[in-house]
Amino acid sequence: MPPVTDLATIVHPFVLTQQDFNRFADLSGDHNPIHVDPAFSARTPFGGTVSHGMLLFSRLRGLLARHYPGQALANQTLMFAAPCYADEPLTLALTPAPGPDGADIALQAEVRKADGRLGLSGTCTLRAAADANAAPALPADSSTPLQAPPPLPSSAAPAAGLSRYLDLRPGDKASLERCYTQTDIANWTALADYPGLPATLPEPLIPALFSCLLGEELPGHGTNYLKQSLQFLAPARASELLTASVEINRLRADKALVNLRTRCTGADGRLLCHGEALVLFRQ
């Protein structure tokens, strides 16, 4: 596909239901109660269940596939600015721009709420899709490590209500293994409003594993996803054994913030995706 020259914004209204939240929780393994337990969520500052960040990303991917067929995601940034609730009218907007090298396609994405507030923002880069059976873009051990930010001065006072946060340490890790079946992919396409069935594993199902680890294990229940950066290096296949991991690389106790490196490899050890997450964690 040639570089984009028409910079018109694509606008797509949509609504997510509690059933969508529940189905995505079953698909991703992320059953954090802020997504699936209305009674629990009503007692939190959210006041009700909120969408998984990666469910919003999935809707973004579905819209990209409709307007840019045959393109794969190379990079994605996501910032979750405000919670998006069940049955809330939302609007997804994509604004394309020429890619930095004149070949790839860059886009700005936004999800806005009915009152105009930003729920999600981010940028992505698309390039022509590669065959899932092709040689990996990079060997598993050749990714450029993310540089950890400098540590916060020890004099910073911890925020109130940290609970288990104070037990967290830089270097703490969690990982999981998962195979997505063709049935899983079909269920994802319905949630994402994706046209047809993708030839390779849809990219959002990889960071969905990061979401599961963050929401269920590290830091765990009480996690509020704020940001995620993603670099997709090679496609994955349906039914391929994936290994996803998250590792704490910075703690900011005065704000209850946790930075984590995120990483996913395929069955042969090739690096599929890596990036960094930022979460707010209080229990």
Side-chain angles (χ1 to χ4, degrees):
M1 178 177 287
V4 171
T5 55
D6 180 1
L7 304 185
T9 297
I10 300 162
V11 179
H12 172 67
F14 68 103
V15 174
L16 297 172
T17 67
Q18 184 61 54
Q19 184 180 16
D20 293 330
F21 296 176
N22 296 343
R23 290 166 62 197
F24 192 80
D26 290 339
L27 181 61
S28 66
D30 182 2
H31 290 89
N32 191 328
I34 64 171
H35 305 307
V36 298
D37 188 335
F40 171 89
S41 299
R43 300 191 299 271
T44 71
F46 295 116
T49 54
V50 298
S51 175
H52 299 75
M54 293 307 158
L55 177 54
L56 295 173
F57 178 28
S58 294
R59 293 299 296 240
L60 163 60
R61 188 63 183 96
L63 189 62
L64 287 170
R66 291 185 177 277
H67 291 272
Y68 299 91
Q71 301 290 302
L73 271 174
N75 297 281
Q76 179 74 56
T77 64
L78 299 164
M79 182 176 71
F80 306 107
C84 295
Y85 295 92
D87 302 318
E88 179 181 18
L90 300 169
T91 301
L92 173 58
L94 292 174
T95 303
D101 62 3
D104 294 341
I105 300 169
L107 301 104
Q108 174 70 36
E110 293 183 348
V111 172
R112 289 196 178 270
K113 298 156 69 69
D115 61 6
R117 284 187 299 152
L118 196 62
L120 166 70
S121 66
T123 59
C124 61
T125 305
L126 301 175
R127 62 177 51 131
D131 190 322
N133 296 310
L138 290 172
D141 60 355
S142 65
S143 62
T144 302
L146 294 173
Q147 188 68 34
L152 195 74
S154 59
S155 59
L162 291 185
S163 185
R164 199 176 75 81
Y165 184 101
L166 297 177
D167 295 328
L168 301 176
R169 297 289 183 271
D172 285 354
K173 300 178 183 180
S175 64
L176 62 80
E177 293 183 339
R178 172 74 187 272
C179 290
Y180 285 110
T181 66
Q182 290 288 0
T183 298
D184 292 330
I185 295 174
N187 290 336
W188 177 86
T189 62
L191 286 167
D193 195 23
Y194 190 99
L197 285 174
T200 58
L201 187 74
E203 297 96 342
L205 286 177
I206 292 178
L209 300 179
F210 303 152
S211 175
C212 178
L213 286 167
L214 296 170
E216 296 287 343
E217 294 191 43
L218 187 69
H221 291 180
T223 295
N224 181 12
Y225 224 153
L226 299 180
K227 294 182 182 179
Q228 175 73 60
S229 65
L230 299 160
Q231 183 177 3
F232 296 99
L233 302 173
R237 297 176 289 272
S239 301
E240 179 176 6
L241 180 64
L242 307 178
T243 302
S245 63
V246 298
E247 179 181 356
I248 295 175
N249 64 354
R250 188 185 184 192
L251 294 165
R252 286 176 274 176
D254 60 329
K255 297 181 178 180
L257 294 173
V258 188
N259 290 73
L260 305 99
R261 292 188 179 92
T262 56
R263 177 182 174 93
C264 183
T265 57
D268 58 1
R270 73 192 189 285
L271 184 61
L272 302 175
C273 174
H274 72 98
E276 185 166 335
L278 173 66
V279 303
L280 174 70
F281 180 66
R282 290 182 180 172
Q283 285 188 317

